[in-house]
Amino acid sequence: MPEVISGISFALALLFYSAASALFFLDVARSRARLPSAGDLAGLFGAGGRVHEPGARPSAALAATASRHAPLLLGLGALGHATYVTLASFVARVCPVHSVHFMLSVASLLAIGVYLVARRRFRIDALGLLIGPLGLAFLLGTFFLGKPHPEPKFSPLFIAAHIMANLLGIALFLLAGASAALYLVQEKRLKQKRHVERMGNLPPLDTLDRAVHLFLSAGFPLLTLGIVTGTYWAHRLEMGNTEEVMRAIFGYATWLLIALVLLLRAAAGWRGRRAAYGTIAGLACAGAVLVIYLVRPAAGLGG
């Protein structure tokens, strides 16, 4: 019976966390500034870079639904998460405090509790963009609680989803990083008051800034999927594998930096240079993850 309840609580927490994370993302992605239209992106890579009329925004009804139901779903997910961790410890007959993932789960549950209490008073609803996916990732990490030794068998579909999510996410971040670099170059030229004819075909700053936001918004859900599946996969983190630890650190750093750029744009109006620097920093962390993959055979990091 405890095994059945444990499995049900795990499934419900997974469902609620996923739904809450999606709603928080939809709420934050509808930035106060419109996303680039097709004409803007054509201007980004073509001559002229002229700004076109705004595209259609998500409906106000959808935004209201996200703001209203996301915290409730997050709280239900945390309840299922706490139930699962408690029952899984008894079923596996292990001391959960010896597990890295258990400690991370407790930290995420505490963060969710503080967030749900403080969000209305301090108007920090947008912070759910960080809290929801973290709860989801650490929930999946506890799946290996009490069973660190058997090598898990993953389906080809799971492996393909993990790899493709990371590859597509990094591809979009490369575009965001390129747009951010162009933004910094264009801004420097404008500050130096160079003549327009000497600026080549670089698009306006506003177009570049919105392009950065578009590419980050498109890549963030993919990176989140990669982080979630990677956490589910990284059971060897419990054994202190050097490669896994380094990859996890840079992977979470990438996700956190990109999430902060999106969050601060929605909550604090961050745009322009600050968003560009944050995007480039996130791209650098993603590059570190790729370097670890490439140098692993030569350096013997996998042990």
Side-chain angles (χ1 to χ4, degrees), residues 34-40 50-56:
R34 67 176 179 87
L35 295 181
S37 65
D40 291 332
R50 189 170 49 196
V51 179
H52 290 63
E53 290 302 315

Side-chain angles (χ1 to χ4, degrees), residues 46-133:
R50 189 170 49 196
V51 179
H52 290 63
E53 290 302 315
R57 288 187 178 185
S59 67
L62 178 61
T65 299
S67 299
R68 183 170 62 253
H69 295 303
L72 174 62
L73 293 173
L74 181 64
L76 292 173
L79 180 61
H81 188 169
T83 303
Y84 171 72
V85 170
T86 302
L87 291 177
S89 301
F90 285 110
V91 169
R93 295 179 181 178
V94 297
C95 179
V97 297
H98 293 161
S99 166
V100 171
H101 290 304
F102 174 83
M103 303 302 294
L104 293 175
S105 285
V106 171
S108 69
L109 289 171
L110 291 174
I112 290 171
V114 173
Y115 166 77
L116 292 175
V117 171
R119 70 180 187 87
R120 286 191 178 275
R121 179 177 178 83
F122 298 103
R123 297 182 180 180
I124 54 173
D125 292 78
L127 198 58
L129 177 72
L130 297 176
I131 302 298

Side-chain angles (χ1 to χ4, degrees), residues 145-167:
L145 186 64
K147 34 186 176 181
H149 299 295
E151 187 72 19
K153 302 298 181 182
F154 296 113
S155 69
L157 182 61
F158 177 90
I159 297 174
H162 174 74
I163 294 175
M164 289 305 298
N166 282 299
L167 290 178

Side-chain angles (χ1 to χ4, degrees), residues 135-148:
L136 177 61
F138 295 149
L139 167 72
L140 290 173
T142 59
F143 180 81
F144 295 105
L145 186 64
K147 34 186 176 181

Side-chain angles (χ1 to χ4, degrees), residues 28 31-32 126-127 129-130 213 256-271 274-275 278:
V28 170
S31 172
R32 293 187 180 92
L127 198 58
L129 177 72
L130 297 176
H213 182 65
L256 183 61
L257 285 169
I258 300 304
L260 284 174
V261 171
L262 291 172
L263 175 63
L264 291 173
R265 183 184 182 97
W270 266 37
R271 285 171 177 77
R274 291 176 293 185

